[in-house]
Amino acid sequence: MNVLKKQMVEKKYIDKTQINSEELYKISFEMDDFLPMEKLLYEELEKIIEEMPERCQSAFYLKWKEGKKIREIAEIMGISTTMVDKHLAKGMEIVRQKMTSEMLLLLYILILNSSL
């Protein structure tokens, strides 16, 4: 009987503490509906990219949206790989300044996962 009681208590505890993984992945910014965090991140990133200087915007878009390598970006833009690095660094600095720390953390996690 004690074993059954213990199992029932454990089941109740697991049911109460178990969080839907989808809820962990979503966030609400003062809205009734939950939106996927990744979608919010990309919307915010899109706004920030649009505010970047033109060359920086192009390099950032080619790197993070199209997944081009630095050498490919340099060829497309007709600049050196060093300049591409500078444009990307400037773009990341702009992103760091404009994004909330939570969104920035998610961006880094997504970047790490995509590069693995």
Side-chain angles (χ1 to χ4, degrees), residues 27-115:
I27 189 167
S28 172
F29 290 111
E30 299 173 346
M31 292 184 243
D32 293 332
D33 297 275
F34 284 109
L35 292 173
M37 179 68 116
E38 193 172 347
K39 182 180 179 193
L40 290 173
L41 173 71
Y42 286 125
E43 287 173 0
E44 183 69 21
L45 189 57
E46 198 65 43
K47 288 178 196 172
I48 294 170
I49 291 172
E50 288 174 9
E51 296 174 8
M52 291 179 183
E54 186 180 335
R55 302 290 274 177
C56 182
Q57 186 181 69
S58 297
F60 208 83
Y61 182 82
L62 289 168
K63 176 71 177 168
W64 301 113
K65 295 290 241 165
E66 294 187 16
K68 302 277 187 202
K69 298 191 183 300
I70 292 176
R71 187 165 296 162
E72 294 172 316
I73 297 169
E75 289 174 17
I76 291 169
M77 294 179 68
I79 58 176
S80 69
T81 56
T82 304
M83 284 306 297
V84 172
D85 283 334
K86 287 182 181 182
H87 288 305
L88 292 173
K90 185 176 183 176
M92 279 308 294
E93 184 59 34
I94 292 169
V95 169
R96 277 188 213 104
Q97 291 172 357
K98 297 195 179 239
M99 272 194 171
T100 65
S101 57
E102 293 84 6
M103 296 293 267
L104 196 55
L105 178 62
L106 180 61
L107 177 64
Y108 287 137
I109 290 169
L110 290 173
I111 289 169
L112 285 174
N113 284 338
S114 67
S115 65

